[in-house]
Amino acid sequence: MSNNDVQTNRVELNLKDVRGAFWRWMFFCHSCYNYELYQGMGVTHALSKAMSKLYPDRAQLGKELSKHTIFFNSATHTGSIIHGAVLAMEEERANGAEEITPELINSIKSGLMGPLAGLGDSLVQGVMVPILLALGITLTESLGVAGPLIYTALISIVVLGLAYVFWMQGYKLGTEAIGKIINSGLMKNILGAAGILGCIVLGGLVSNYVSITTSVYLPLSTGNFVLQTNFLDKLMPNLLSLATTMGVYGLVRKGVKSNKILLGLFIIGAILGFLGILGPVPVFE
């Protein structure tokens, strides 16, 4: 068969096919979720309609799709670059690219789902969610129920936007896209900057929403020496709140379970409150 015949018989996916596969992934990524395959059936369903164009014969289509029903588990947003690249590889394979084998495709999926899941968790759960939650909580105080609605809208835009960009870049660049994203110095710098911003936001949350003060004071001949206002606040405002937050953070880093930390905070707070050590700052006329 001549090169002209191959070019004439070539089956290509259009933008509608690629976008349709993306939306099927976003809506059905956790369909038939189970401990054996995790997102495996969701991947298969996302690729099914586009691959039906590449493989019109239903028997062959079923055979090709069955190769995707393997274990897969990654971030739904950053991990979508894998499926975009897989779709591009399936397109080339359907058009005679013998070097692209099912084993190669599945090796790429299984080898990269972990690193891209880590990237997604760091970027979205570790940075974007805390920042947007802080914004939503703050807006709730002044706007009421609009605060949670604004948070829901913003996090949806972030997740969908990130997933779409990764999916389309994966399809556009094929297997090269994955290596570029993982090894990109720019992405590393963005994550670093986002992490710094997240720390600033969380610091503001500690200052606004963690309030720990001591009611201890010493009666002196020159007047009452209030430990909180005359000493601790002069060293650093909200020093007790910061110390408590850092202590909890240290316990979390050591692997202490959150329910034990909460129980410990409750017991310690109750005891110190009963002894009069913690409480409102005393005000003297």
Side-chain angles (χ1 to χ4, degrees):
M1 183 179 292
S2 66
N3 290 336
N4 290 335
D5 292 332
V6 173
Q7 189 67 25
T8 302
N9 296 329
R10 181 178 175 84
V11 181
E12 293 186 348
L13 300 175
N14 55 36
L15 184 59
K16 182 179 179 181
D17 298 324
V18 180
R19 284 178 175 172
F22 163 74
W23 286 113
R24 289 166 78 91
W25 166 248
M26 291 308 299
F27 282 109
F28 298 100
C29 56
H30 293 300
S31 59
C32 301
Y33 196 93
N34 59 81
Y35 285 112
E36 181 182 2
L37 302 177
Y38 273 63
Q39 299 169 330
M41 295 304 294
V43 174
T44 306
H45 180 69
L47 301 176
S48 60
K49 190 171 184 179
M51 288 184 62
S52 68
K53 184 176 181 178
L54 301 175
Y55 302 100
D57 182 75
R58 294 186 65 84
Q60 186 182 9
L61 173 63
K63 182 180 178 181
E64 297 298 332
L65 285 176
S66 66
K67 298 171 183 176
H68 288 285
T69 56
I70 62 172
F71 177 90
F72 185 87
N73 185 35
S74 189
T76 57
H77 28 73
T78 53
S80 67
I81 193 174
I82 299 175
H83 312 312
V86 165
L87 194 58
M89 289 188 287
E90 286 287 5
E91 183 178 3
E92 293 303 316
R93 182 167 169 268
N95 285 286
E98 298 180 355
E99 68 276 9
I100 301 177
T101 64
E103 292 75 20
L104 173 63
I105 293 175
N106 285 332
S107 295
I108 290 174
K109 288 165 61 179
S110 60
L112 293 171
M113 62 184 181
L116 286 166
L119 174 63
D121 290 344
S122 300
L123 183 60
V124 176
Q125 297 182 28
V127 177
M128 297 309 302
V129 168
I131 291 175
L132 294 179
L133 270 177
L135 176 62
I137 292 171
T138 302
L139 292 177
T140 300
E141 293 184 335
S142 56
L143 301 179
V145 72
L149 295 177
I150 292 173
Y151 164 76
T152 302
L154 290 177
I155 195 63
S156 299
I157 291 171
V158 168
V159 171
L160 287 174
L162 190 66
Y164 181 79
V165 169
F166 270 65
W167 181 286
M168 298 305 292
Q169 288 301 309
Y171 176 77
K172 180 180 178 181
L173 302 176
T175 54
E176 295 179 2
I178 301 172
K180 287 183 178 181
I181 290 296
I182 292 178
N183 298 318
S184 173
L186 177 61
M187 179 58 71
K188 186 176 180 179
N189 291 337
I190 292 174
L191 283 174
I196 294 172
L197 178 60
C199 290
I200 294 173
V201 172
L202 290 177
L205 282 177
V206 171
S207 176
N208 288 330
Y209 296 102
V210 180
S211 179
I212 300 177
T213 56
T214 178
S215 56
V216 174
Y217 69 95
L218 300 174
L220 302 176
S221 58
T222 56
N224 294 307
F225 181 85
V226 181
L227 183 62
Q228 182 68 48
T229 56
N230 296 124
F231 179 69
L232 294 177
D233 286 347
K234 293 185 181 300
L235 289 177
M236 179 186 293
N238 299 308
L239 179 59
L240 292 179
S241 301
L242 176 62
T244 303
T245 302
M246 296 306 297
V248 170
Y249 176 71
L251 292 175
V252 172
R253 289 289 300 271
K254 290 182 179 180
V256 180
K257 294 183 178 180
S258 58
N259 56 349
K260 292 183 178 180
I261 296 176
L262 290 172
L263 180 61
L265 289 174
F266 176 80
I267 294 174
I268 293 173
I271 293 174
L272 294 181
F274 177 77
L275 296 176
I277 297 175
L278 293 182
V281 179
V283 179
F284 299 98
E285 296 295 338

